[in-house]
Amino acid sequence: EVQLVESGGGSVQAGGSLRLSCVISGYTDRRNWMGWFRQAPGQEREGVAAIYRAGYTTYYADSVTGRFTISRNNAQNTVYLQMNSLKPGDTAMYYCAAGSVGNVFSANGYNYWGQGTQVTVS
């Protein structure tokens, strides 16, 4: 079975930093994309960042470019999202996702999802 578990969320002041982690198990074929999505109350789920597990290609939403960094550690089956210079607009539930996708920011292209971790910026 495939499982994704996020951690690292919390409450910080504007300008602060958080590092989210996503541990994936049961997904042995690394030829897939890992994506971070976020969803605020009453809003649609939006893509934040994505990385290819078998390579180094990364993508970022315009709203986070220069502030967020996605990385991976395949030996630990973990993907990270380093979030710096956080803004109140970054407040959302952040989800880790995995799948073989064509559009990395399309939620429909991801097969597996974590439970989410809350990020609150005040």
Side-chain angles (χ1 to χ4, degrees):
E1 61 184 287
V2 177
Q3 292 187 344
L4 282 69
V5 180
E6 306 100 328
S7 63
S11 181
V12 299
Q13 294 183 339
S17 298
L18 285 173
R19 190 191 194 197
L20 307 184
S21 299
C22 174
V23 179
I24 180 170
S25 60
Y27 206 143
T28 57
D29 189 354
R30 291 176 175 173
R31 293 174 295 177
N32 73 286
W33 288 87
M34 301 292 297
W36 285 100
F37 291 75
R38 66 186 182 186
Q39 186 169 21
Q43 303 295 317
E44 296 182 353
R45 187 169 298 186
E46 63 175 346
V48 176
I51 189 170
Y52 191 53
R53 291 183 72 200
Y56 303 97
T57 305
T58 59
Y59 291 94
Y60 297 94
D62 290 342
S63 60
V64 306
T65 297
R67 299 188 297 120
F68 291 10
T69 302
I70 188 170
S71 62
R72 61 174 174 83
N73 187 328
N74 285 349
Q76 298 180 357
N77 295 311
T78 304
V79 175
Y80 303 95
L81 184 67
Q82 178 67 45
M83 305 185 295
N84 299 325
S85 301
L86 284 163
K87 305 174 181 179
D90 297 318
T91 296
M93 184 73 74
Y94 283 71
Y95 297 91
C96 180
S100 299
V101 300
N103 185 342
V104 298
F105 287 155
S106 174
N108 293 332
Y110 290 84
N111 306 110
Y112 308 101
W113 295 83
Q115 296 296 314
T117 184
Q118 179 67 39
V119 172
T120 301
V121 185
S122 61

